[in-house]
Amino acid sequence: MALSTLMTSSVIQAQEYPDKPIRLVVAYPAGGTADAVARVLSEALTKTTGATIVVDNQGGASGAIGAGQVARAEADGYTLLLGANSIFSVVPHLRELDFDPNADLVPVAKIADSTRLLAVHPSVPAQNMKEFIAYAKANPGMLNYSSSGNGSTPQILTEIFKSAAGVDVQHIPYGGAGPALNGLLSGTVQMMIDTVVISQAESGALRGLAVFGNARIPGLPDVPTMVEEGFTELRSAGWTGLFAPKDTPADIIEMLSIEISGLYNDPAFIERLSSVGVDPDFLDPRAFADSLAVDFAYFGDVINSAGIAEE
């Protein structure tokens, strides 16, 4: 079903939407979870709508660079953002931006939740969470962890974990989840909490210790969740979602949302999304906006109470 069949000509000034390529900005470098989700989504929408969708990775500043580009783009439906919760829930609490993600961008659809795994390099002599905490406490400041950048959700989750566990692990930020994973695989850092480590733990290249999510990972059935390990206060999952510049016509937002919702009836799409390490979970613009507000308040409270500051 083409998007244009859902529109009235009065909204788009007698032109059909889309009649030119759509630029899908991914606010993170290639190789990370958001990038993988964007490519699955763009491929599926290309098939169902006939639209040309160009994925454009604009990583940096925990997603703020790419998000800022979309926020300043023309609000015509031809520039969209694939972003994650750090842009909306974390970064605004840590530093001043030259735009307001929660005011200058509007939600189109939530695409998926992201289960995360705490994984360590095989050189770390710990087979489970209890042993890792004991080892870290015995070697304060000697272990490093990587993240996709300062202000990223994985960094915040790791800092919360450090506080709860009483361990001192040093942060080494990278310019995206892919480079951060490479740092862990090479042994430059010893620990990482993210989605991209899951497949590497399943293959044996890394050792998974605990799941940040609501359930164990099928490919790692012996790895417990953080709740099972006693960390009941940690908010576990992140998300990826689609956004547009504010003032984008409501009809375009609604049509894109409807088109995306239809993908969740396709088992092949669900399987493709699941294969990149996320849990498919659609929300329409209104429900997604409500969820954004909850996340913004939660992470604001956590960051303020923990005294977390951008490095």
Side-chain angles (χ1 to χ4, degrees):
M1 176 175 57
L3 292 178
S4 58
T5 63
L6 298 170
M7 301 193 57
T8 59
S9 59
S10 61
V11 177
I12 302 301
Q13 299 176 352
Q15 71 177 20
E16 293 186 340
Y17 173 85
D19 67 348
K20 62 181 181 180
I22 296 171
R23 178 188 177 212
L24 177 55
V25 174
V26 180
Y28 307 95
T33 302
D35 176 63
V37 170
R39 295 180 188 279
V40 172
L41 178 65
S42 63
E43 179 182 330
L45 286 177
T46 294
K47 290 180 179 179
T48 61
T49 69
T52 300
I53 302 174
V54 180
V55 176
D56 183 6
N57 294 89
Q58 295 291 329
S62 298
I65 291 176
Q69 289 185 14
V70 177
R72 292 184 288 271
E74 187 174 353
D76 58 3
Y78 290 100
T79 303
L80 304 172
L81 172 72
L82 198 291
N85 51 326
S86 62
I87 300 170
F88 302 86
S89 308
V90 175
V91 174
H93 295 292
L94 295 176
R95 66 176 184 269
E96 293 291 331
L97 299 171
D98 60 1
F99 71 104
D100 182 348
N102 292 289
D104 297 332
L105 294 162
V106 294
V108 175
K110 178 184 174 184
I111 306 301
D113 285 317
S114 301
T115 296
R116 296 184 170 95
L117 176 71
L118 189 159
V120 296
H121 189 267
S123 63
V124 175
Q127 299 299 315
N128 54 51
M129 181 62 74
K130 182 178 179 180
E131 291 180 2
F132 176 74
I133 292 174
Y135 180 73
K137 287 183 176 180
N139 297 274
M142 299 301 293
L143 298 178
N144 300 317
Y145 79 89
S146 61
S147 81
S148 52
N150 287 324
S152 64
T153 302
Q155 183 215 355
I156 301 302
L157 289 177
T158 308
E159 291 297 322
I160 297 170
F161 163 71
K162 285 170 51 180
S163 177
V167 297
D168 180 12
V169 183
Q170 301 300 305
H171 182 213
I172 298 182
Y174 286 78
L181 173 62
N182 290 335
L184 180 60
L185 290 170
S186 69
T188 301
V189 299
Q190 292 74 46
M191 168 190 160
M192 184 177 176
I193 298 173
D194 210 310
T195 302
V196 295
V197 303
I198 294 175
S199 62
Q200 298 294 334
E202 290 174 335
S203 72
L206 299 173
R207 185 180 304 125
L209 298 185
V211 177
F212 280 68
N214 299 323
R216 295 192 181 197
I217 297 169
L220 297 167
D222 295 328
V223 178
T225 66
M226 291 297 292
V227 171
E228 290 176 304
E229 290 289 346
F231 295 90
T232 58
E233 300 302 317
L234 292 182
R235 192 174 180 87
S236 54
W239 49 256
T240 51
L242 190 67
F243 297 82
K246 71 174 182 179
D247 299 327
T248 298
D251 287 46
I252 290 180
I253 300 293
E254 191 69 16
M255 287 185 304
L256 287 168
S257 178
I258 291 172
E259 197 72 27
I260 292 168
S261 71
L263 298 176
Y264 289 77
N265 296 319
D266 180 4
F269 175 74
I270 298 299
E271 182 178 354
R272 286 277 288 122
L273 265 188
S274 301
S275 72
V276 302
V278 299
D279 298 320
D281 184 27
F282 172 81
L283 289 179
D284 66 26
R286 287 158 289 280
F288 194 14
D290 292 342
S291 176
L292 287 170
V294 171
D295 276 354
F296 182 80
Y298 170 81
F299 281 101
D301 288 344
V302 166
I303 289 167
N304 291 331
S305 62
I308 297 171
E310 187 174 43
E311 299 174 7

